[in-house]
Amino acid sequence: MTLRCTMVGMPGAGRYAPSPSGDLHYGNLRTALLAWLWARSTGRDFRMRVDDIDTQRSSATSAERQLADLAALGIDWDGDVLYQHDRFDAYANALRHLEQRGLVYECYCSRREIQEASRAPHAVPGSYPGTCRSLDDATRAQRRANLAAAGRVPALRLRADVTQWTVHDFFAGDYTGDVDDMVLRRGGQAPDWAYNLAVVVDDAFQGVDQVVRGRDLLSSAPRQAYLAGLLGIEAPDYVHVPLVLGPTGRRLAKRDGAVTLREMLHDATPGEVVSRLAVSLGFGQVSSAAELLEVFDPAALSGEDYVWEGL
């Protein structure tokens, strides 16, 4: 199965893929700018995707505001914006490919059951312990019927044949992380596609071979790279960049106050915000994203998190 759409001789691409659940804050903008700089400085296209697979939390208005904010900072992109809510058929196609190889099974566990199982001795914290992996047909039929009586359907999980996978990251080097029987399609009354499947399929479709995102997502890279291999996709180059921390030392959040672009623009111009972002990255003051691109050097970036102190 071939999902990557990059043509031979054509450049690869970087991307930024925000979830439209609110305005982007300073940390989001810094990561977006880095993703754009990394792609443009390496001769790649830059793709934009709206990760609105979580239909309950996503907002079309929020997506519009986020895209407008990125454009205001001088971050441009190639091609049309891709919306995950338009991609369900592609996820279903990838799922069928895995099912045909016997790599998918139904999971009937509730969230509480999963949490309790993950606390058991020898269980890997946060990983699914494979409770439903080897159930017999009669047990599966009964569990499926119990869910159906409650108007629910089972989740679908990957039957992984490894417990760890190694990726290479620009900052972390070779990084080995846990791989479990990850959810591919969520269960319940309104089944939703799972993020790990969607991001792998969409990156391939957009020709993305360079993923620049926050360091907090590093632990998800081994799972996604492993799944990509099962789908016949080459894993991208990973760059998990340092985070912006708030006053308490935790990752910056909107609750830290006056950190979204629209709030900052009450007292600063877009160029001044870009300049502050450039300074936070270790470069001098600039007047625009284009000017920052001229001096951008990945080797000069610090691997340390940046503490937000306001504009």
Side-chain angles (χ1 to χ4, degrees), residues 138-152:
T139 303
R140 289 190 182 281
Q142 183 60 56
R143 296 290 299 272
R144 191 181 304 117
N146 292 343
L147 285 179
R152 303 171 66 86

Side-chain angles (χ1 to χ4, degrees), residues 284-308:
Q285 294 186 351
V286 298
S287 60
S288 66
E291 184 178 332
L292 176 57
L293 178 59
E294 294 179 1
V295 298
F296 177 69
D297 178 9
L301 290 169
S302 169
E304 300 297 320
D305 292 332
Y306 177 77
V307 178
W308 162 261

